[in-house]
């Protein structure tokens, strides 16, 4: 069910009553399809079979399509070219064919006259090293009659090029290494000529490393609205007639870390009001904000969580892609004039009765330095089975990726896979996570591998003390940065009985030396320290340098095509486990990147993880799953 019962819904677009969105389909080898829904009609695929609407800019992608006058402009994952897609016609390429997917496009918008696509362009040299990648803003004719030309360049990264309603101005974000956009970036406004020429660039908000700007958008009357964290929280602000001011100050997050392009947490209605979303204490709320009267009215929706911020609006209608703990993610159309809402597409039809779902509880727990950290706790849940009297469940500690990401309460069959089998799960928002303000986010600065590890241990310790978990059956898992935290936990502590690392980092020095993609090329400078100046910290925080401490069973899972955390990282830790004689298993999935998309691999990895825990903890799992071969496991 986890792999095949549904689809990943994202990136809604609303134009003239027609709703568009993307569907990621594990059953089709992870392909992403563009779907269109006309008023009164049924959802229909727009792209032909096999066409994969994904961009590889920043490797994480996003912003893979835009719509103008009913025509779609889409990125094709196979060749990274842009295509024009008119209804009833096959896709037509409008960018040059460059071998090796070396030219990539994302986050584009069409000028009001329909003549130009303006967006982010990422150029890879034939050497294909991260230091030879150029990011810029380009313009290109929508009819494909000329090659793209550069309109803004000189910074390491660009995002969110947004064209004013009259087509005369362009807003965009820019930042330089070593910063990530959530550390700080700059918002610029420039004059935009009819031929795409940009002039008079003016810096209007934000600062590298100091103030982060999220999602600039032009209002119908030409004001510029965005979220800034200069108050300590990503709050909405507006620039109009040269004056800048907050719209609705709140100790909540209206912005998010920009890991991918095209995400949106607010949009304008025809009357100038904003339909917006914000995160508060782990849950997502939706509201209507009037920039003129300053009124702020929460919307009474039963949706309170999303995996990523996706929202669109037009007229008096909003489209959100969200869900709740017991509601699978869905594309929801909301009539803001009447308050009525309608589900256009669900990521899956609930495959079992809601009685089987574990409902998360937001918890706060004490951690190092007298501080408090956050998590979502899922108790084991089943209407069919009861635990033996006095037995406490095994606990899986989930460490999210990023590390500047966050846990959320969105419905997850991945979590329910465990809770229906008698495991408790705690999804930890360790210090450094998003959703609790900039100060909380900055707890991890200089402390990666320390604060995240401490908070994961303390979450488990808290739940043991509360009687919610068995102290002898504590497990830890995570992917990417969470995989690194997992390897650290199994190397630097003996707190856990076992763990599973999905594409985790074993050697920070290789990353500090440039063994990753450009977007995160110097991410560790903030999380650990500048390299090579603080090479001592990189050595100190790299589990591969302390393999003499390895003794806890570890499952290592990796994709062959991962450009963010390459297989060499997995092979380092597997080699150490083998040399030390530690119980372990290593699964390398052909064709998978940074995150598994193919149904058979999602199934295989979950069954392997369950078999691994079962053998280490000494129980027989139900369901007849394949028995994983584990090296060095006695008995």
């Amino acid at each position: 069910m986890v792999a095949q019962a549904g689809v990943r819904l994202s990136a809604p677009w609303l134009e003239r009553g027609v709703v568009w969105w993307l569907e990621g389909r594990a059953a089709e080898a992870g392909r992403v399809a563009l779907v269109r829904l006309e008023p009164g009609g049924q959802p229909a695929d727009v792209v032909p079979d096999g066409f994969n609407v994904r961009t590889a800019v920043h490797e994480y992608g996003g912003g893979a399509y835009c719509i103008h006058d009913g025509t779609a402009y889409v990125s094709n994952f196979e060749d990274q070219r842009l295509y024009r897609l008119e209804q009833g016609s096959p896709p037509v390429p409008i960018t040059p064919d460059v071998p090796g997917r070396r030219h990539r496009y994302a986050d584009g918008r069409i000028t009001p006259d329909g003549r130009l696509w303006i967006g982010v362009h990422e150029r890879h040299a034939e050497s294909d090293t991260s230091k030879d990648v150029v990011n810029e803003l380009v313009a290109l004719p929508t009819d494909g009659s000329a090659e793209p030309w550069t309109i803004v360049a000189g910074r390491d990264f660009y995002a969110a090029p947004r064209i004013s309603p009259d087509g005369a101005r362009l807003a965009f974000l820019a930042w330089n290494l070593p910063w990530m956009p959530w550390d700080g970036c700059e918002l610029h406004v420039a004059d935009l000529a009819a031929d795409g020429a940009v002039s008079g660039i003016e810096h209007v908000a934000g600062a590298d490393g100091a103030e982060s700007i999220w999602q600039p958008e032009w209002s119908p009357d030409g004001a510029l609205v965005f979220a800034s964290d200069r108050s300590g929280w990503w709050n909405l602000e507006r620039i109009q007639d040269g004056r800048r001011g907050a719209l609705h100050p709140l100790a909540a997050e209206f912005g998010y870390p920009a890991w991918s392009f095209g995400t949106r947490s607010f949009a304008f209605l025809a009357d100038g009001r904003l339909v917006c979303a914000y995160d508060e204490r782990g849950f997502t709320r939706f509201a209507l904000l009037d920039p003129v009267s300053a009124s702020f009215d929460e919307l009474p929706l039963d949706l309170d969580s999303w995996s990523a911020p996706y929202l669109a609006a037009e007229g008096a209608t909003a489209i959100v892609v969200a869900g709740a703990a017991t509601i699978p993610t869905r594309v929801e159309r909301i009539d803001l004039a009447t308050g009525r809402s309608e589900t256009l597409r669900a990521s899956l039809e609930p495959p079992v009765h809601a009685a089987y779902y574990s409902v998360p509880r937001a918890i706060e727990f004490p951690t190092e330095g007298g501080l408090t950290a956050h998590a979502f706790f899922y108790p084991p849940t089943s209407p069919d089975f009861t635990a033996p009297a006095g037995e406490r469940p095994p606990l899986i500690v989930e460490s999210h990726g990023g590390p500047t990401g966050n846990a959320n309460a969105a419905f997850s069959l991945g979590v329910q896979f465990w809770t229906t089998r008698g495991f408790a799960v705690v999804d930890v928002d360790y210090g450094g996570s998003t959703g609790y303000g900039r100060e909380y986010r900055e707890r991890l600065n200089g402390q990666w591998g320390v604060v995240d590890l401490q908070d994961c241990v303390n979450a488990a310790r808290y739940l043991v003390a509360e009687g919610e978990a068995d102290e002898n059956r504590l497990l830890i898992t995570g992917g990417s940065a969470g995989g690194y935290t997992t390897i650290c936990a199994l190397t630097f502590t003996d707190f856990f009985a076992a763990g599973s690392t999905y594409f985790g980092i074993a050697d920070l020095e290789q990353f500090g030396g440039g063994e990753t993609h450009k977007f995160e090329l110097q991410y560790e400078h903030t999380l650990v320290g500048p390299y090579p100046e603080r090479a001592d910290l990189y050595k100190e925080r790299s589990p591969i340098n302390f393999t003499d401490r390895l003794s806890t069973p570890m499952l290592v899972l990796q994709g062959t095509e991962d450009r963010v955390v390459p297989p060499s990282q997995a092979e380092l830790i597997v080699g150490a486990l083998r040399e030390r004689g530690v119980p372990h298993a290593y699964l390398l999935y052909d064709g998978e990147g940074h995150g598994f998309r193919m149904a058979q691999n999602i199934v295989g990895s979950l069954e392997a993880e369950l078999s691994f825990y079962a053998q280490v903890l000494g129980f027989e799992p139900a369901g007849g799953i394949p028995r994983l071969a584990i090296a060095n496991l006695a008995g």
Side-chain angles (χ1 to χ4, degrees), residues 306-366:
W306 50 15
S307 299
Y310 291 116
L311 185 153
E314 179 188 59
T317 301
I319 305 292
V320 300
V321 179
T326 59
I327 300 175
T329 297
R330 61 199 194 193
V331 179
E332 193 83 353
R333 178 164 52 200
I334 306 161
D335 185 333
L336 296 166
T338 65
R340 289 194 296 267
S341 63
E342 174 190 8
T343 300
L344 304 181
R345 180 79 157 101
S347 59
L348 59 91
E349 294 302 323
V352 296
H353 192 276
Y356 289 91
Y357 299 153
S358 178
V359 179
R361 182 172 83 244
I363 63 172
E364 297 182 15
F365 56 90

Side-chain angles (χ1 to χ4, degrees), residues 408-484:
N408 62 72
F411 178 83
S412 168
L413 278 176
V415 170
Q416 307 301 333
F417 174 87
W418 298 109
T419 56
T420 54
R421 284 165 171 78
F423 292 82
V425 173
V426 62
D427 203 352
V428 183
D429 265 337
Y430 48 79
S433 301
T434 297
Y436 307 93
R438 185 171 181 118
E439 183 178 352
Y440 193 85
R441 205 164 70 239
E442 290 183 340
R443 283 189 191 179
L444 205 59
N445 287 1
Q447 296 296 313
W448 192 28
V450 179
V451 165
D452 48 327
L453 173 56
Q454 291 171 343
D455 289 355
C456 285
V457 168
N458 286 326
R461 185 174 284 134
Y462 170 81
L463 290 168
V464 168
E466 291 290 304
E468 301 280 10
D470 183 346
E471 64 181 340
N472 296 312
R473 295 188 293 178
L474 301 176
L475 308 162
I476 185 168
T477 186
S480 191
Y484 166 65

Side-chain angles (χ1 to χ4, degrees), residues 216-306:
E217 296 279 355
W218 295 99
S219 70
D221 63 356
L224 188 59
V225 174
F226 52 91
S228 163
D229 70 353
R230 63 174 176 166
S231 68
W233 299 86
W234 267 309
N235 277 192
L236 294 177
E237 299 193 18
R238 176 178 56 176
I239 296 177
Q240 189 167 36
D241 300 325
R243 295 189 300 273
R244 176 182 177 184
L247 292 179
H248 185 74
L250 196 65
E253 300 278 44
F254 290 80
Y256 297 81
W259 281 104
S260 58
F261 296 102
T263 46
R264 302 174 74 192
S265 62
F266 66 90
F268 284 98
L269 302 174
D271 60 9
R273 289 182 300 166
L274 286 163
V275 57
C276 58
Y278 61 96
D279 275 16
E280 187 175 45
R281 303 183 71 82
F283 292 93
T284 303
R285 319 288 184 194
F286 297 89
L288 277 178
L289 171 61
D290 189 329
V292 177
S293 68
S295 65
F296 187 80
D297 302 307
E298 287 203 14
L299 297 174
L301 300 180
D302 57 358
L303 310 177
D304 63 12
S305 302
W306 50 15

